[in-house]
Amino acid sequence: MANTGFCAFCCRRKWVKRDWAIATVAITVIIAAVIIVILFFTVFSDSRNRKTSSPTFAPPSAGDFVPLTLLQSAKATGAFCLDGSLPGYHFQKGFGSGSSNWLLHIEGGGWCNSIESCNSRKGTSLGSSNYMEHQVQFSGILSQDPSQNPDFYNWNKVKLRYCDGASFAGHPESEFKNGTELFFRGQLIWEAMMNELLSLGLSKAKEALLTGCSAGGLATFIHCDDFRDQLPKDATVKCLADAGYFLDEPDILGNRTMLAFYRDVLQLQGVAKSLQQDCVGRMEPVKCIFPQEIIKNVKTPFFVVNPAYDSWQIENILVPIGSDPQGYWSSCRLSIKKCDATQIKRLQGYRDAMLKALSMFQRNEEGGMFINSCFSHCQTSYSAWHSPNSPRINNKTMAESVGDWYFNRKESKLIDCPYPCNPTCNNDDYT
């Protein structure tokens, strides 16, 4: 008879006790492994697919995305975005020593100054929560990584989404009831946001910092004292505006383009009601929206972060569209590296105007500033805040300078030398 082979022999022989013991152990191990795998995928799948309509309270790890929360209470007060949708925010709960401290950051994104521009805007995330990202990554001053955000990493942090087109300062009395279906509710959104956050724990804050970038920086100027007034009297409350110090300067043709633009915004959305009323009573209301005027009467300690060669301001205030029909500035207005000597001289003049506008504030004992010589715009919510590649003044990053000011470690009023003296600048290039 032919040899049936080793496998056939094993299958036919009788199992002894040792064989049964080995088989029992093997089966037990396999079953345990299967159970572990099933549990892992069940938990993983559940955490990936779970949806909530309220803020996430478990502190996510550094670099995690933070979900959007729509402000349901806005329905009762009519605090709507331009298109009538609910406004939103992103909330990341603090932990450890930062669990009683709060940092609010107001998103930027320009303004709309006409029915046409507001109608266009309401079809974007800057006018409707229907277009907002469901999650955003917190970085820079919002980062939870202590190596990127040494002083505020474990605070409660909130990003307020911007969808009203007037720096949270519009009023419904100015809405057009002619079928345009635009909602000018910025002031109501600000109030509804504050009420929501106060109910989540902001009302018990020990330390708080209101910040904002660009149009959000302007909103920080406008609402800083109101923010202070709503928090406990014994809390340390301060404000910081990043790239929000917009100048009332003439463009290259001598026209006051920014003044005219802001005048349209004020008239369209009734913004004057949200500005300092003593200022509005003394001068043309539009002048009271410029930070140079607002900062004179802000009682809350304030910090100004702004590049002396603010790329947005160069492109929209100094050389706005239509001011350069021959195209002489077409490259320079988008990249400072492409400016010739004559253009650089004009940019130095804009820097001089920035420093002059800040001169009175520079004497404010409770104030702070970080005015670098970079061609950039918003800086605090990105890696420029505190990283190996951050712009520095006197070897200090923005984060270190702001921390020194906020915690009263030392005076922090840093003004950079003129371009191109600072090799740490990562200058924007929009060409």
Side-chain angles (χ1 to χ4, degrees):
M1 183 180 292
N3 189 349
T4 56
F6 179 75
C7 183
F9 168 77
C10 287
C11 292
R12 284 198 297 266
R13 79 175 178 85
K14 261 189 172 182
W15 278 26
V16 297
K17 287 184 178 180
R18 182 171 176 273
D19 295 325
W20 286 109
I22 293 172
T24 301
V25 172
I27 291 171
T28 301
V29 170
I30 292 170
I31 291 172
V34 170
I35 290 173
I36 290 170
V37 170
I38 291 172
L39 286 174
F40 172 80
F41 280 106
T42 300
V43 173
F44 180 78
S45 176
D46 181 60
S47 66
R48 296 281 285 188
N49 296 317
R50 187 183 298 118
K51 296 181 180 179
T52 65
S53 58
S54 59
T56 302
F57 287 98
S61 61
D64 274 3
F65 283 79
V66 182
L68 174 69
T69 298
L70 295 182
L71 193 61
Q72 299 297 331
S73 62
K75 296 175 184 176
T77 58
F80 301 129
C81 297
L82 282 172
D83 70 334
S85 61
L86 295 175
Y89 63 94
H90 303 263
F91 173 61
Q92 186 180 72
K93 191 167 177 60
F95 59 94
S97 61
S99 58
S100 297
N101 304 331
W102 288 73
L103 189 151
L104 277 60
H105 183 79
I106 306 176
E107 181 182 30
W111 311 266
C112 57
N113 67 330
S114 66
I115 294 296
E116 293 74 22
S117 61
C118 289
N119 267 324
S120 296
R121 190 181 180 94
K122 75 178 186 179
T124 73
S125 63
L126 292 171
S128 170
S129 59
N130 295 326
Y131 300 94
M132 292 178 184
E133 308 96 312
H134 292 166
Q135 299 183 83
V136 297
Q137 190 170 29
F138 279 10
S139 59
I141 198 171
L142 293 173
S143 174
Q144 205 176 39
D145 184 346
S147 69
Q148 298 177 18
N149 191 19
D151 285 310
F152 309 109
Y153 71 95
N154 61 352
W155 286 28
N156 296 285
K157 294 186 287 292
V158 185
K159 180 173 183 176
L160 280 61
R161 299 305 296 267
Y162 175 40
C163 67
D164 68 282
S167 289
F168 289 81
H171 288 261
E173 293 83 359
S174 296
E175 291 173 3
F176 289 77
K177 309 298 183 181
N178 58 2
T180 57
E181 297 184 352
L182 287 170
F183 294 83
F184 300 147
R185 310 288 177 92
Q187 180 66 39
L188 289 174
I189 293 174
W190 166 255
E191 293 169 3
M193 285 284 189
M194 284 301 297
N195 287 335
E196 172 99 344
L197 297 176
L198 288 168
S199 72
L200 294 177
L202 179 60
S203 62
K204 298 179 181 179
K206 293 181 179 178
E207 296 177 320
L209 178 62
L210 177 65
T211 76
C213 151
S214 192
L218 181 61
T220 302
F221 279 108
I222 293 171
H223 295 295
C224 179
D225 280 343
D226 179 62
F227 179 69
R228 160 67 276 185
D229 291 343
Q230 298 196 54
L231 299 188
K233 294 186 182 300
D234 60 348
T236 300
V237 182
K238 301 186 180 184
C239 302
L240 180 155
D242 174 15
Y245 208 87
F246 298 97
L247 300 184
D248 176 19
E249 281 294 302
D251 63 27
I252 56 174
L253 295 181
N255 299 318
R256 297 269 175 178
T257 302
M258 199 62 189
L259 183 71
F261 180 86
Y262 273 159
R263 184 180 288 117
D264 291 342
V265 175
L266 261 71
Q267 292 175 352
L268 180 67
Q269 296 213 37
V271 172
K273 292 182 179 180
S274 292
L275 302 179
Q276 295 165 347
Q277 293 306 295
D278 59 337
C279 179
V280 171
R282 285 186 290 104
M283 60 182 71
E284 185 186 1
V286 65
K287 294 184 178 180
C288 301
I289 199 173
F290 286 96
Q292 182 179 358
E293 290 299 328
I294 298 175
I295 200 68
K296 292 177 182 177
N297 297 304
V298 173
K299 301 178 180 65
T300 308
F302 212 101
F303 196 102
V304 176
V305 172
N306 224 101
Y309 310 92
D310 188 309
S311 58
W312 190 94
Q313 294 195 44
I314 299 303
E315 189 177 346
N316 294 278
I317 298 179
L318 183 62
V319 195
I321 294 175
S323 67
D324 181 35
Q326 304 302 319
Y328 170 58
W329 285 84
S330 59
S331 295
C332 174
R333 68 193 290 270
L334 301 177
S335 173
I336 197 169
K337 295 178 180 179
K338 298 182 179 179
C339 299
D340 61 29
T342 301
Q343 292 167 328
I344 289 292
K345 185 176 180 179
R346 189 64 185 264
L347 296 187
Q348 302 295 16
Y350 199 85
R351 173 183 180 270
D352 292 343
M354 174 76 71
L355 298 183
K356 182 180 179 181
L358 285 164
S359 59
M360 183 179 294
F361 175 68
Q362 191 175 1
R363 296 192 291 272
N364 185 320
E365 292 183 359
E366 293 186 310
M369 61 176 66
F370 188 95
I371 311 299
N372 61 27
S373 291
C374 305
F375 185 76
S376 58
H377 192 44
C378 293
Q379 301 176 92
T380 60
S381 56
Y382 304 100
S383 60
W385 173 244
H386 187 71
S387 72
N389 297 320
S390 294
R392 287 168 164 75
I393 304 177
N394 297 342
N395 204 33
K396 280 188 175 291
T397 65
M398 276 169 273
E400 292 168 329
S401 302
V402 171
D404 285 346
W405 162 78
Y406 187 91
F407 297 103
N408 299 317
R409 293 192 288 249
K410 60 180 67 175
E411 185 180 67
S412 186
K413 294 176 181 174
L414 301 178
I415 298 177
D416 210 351
C417 49
Y419 176 88
C421 72
N422 191 337
T424 67
C425 284
N426 295 305
N427 296 309
D428 292 342
D429 187 341
Y430 298 110
T431 57

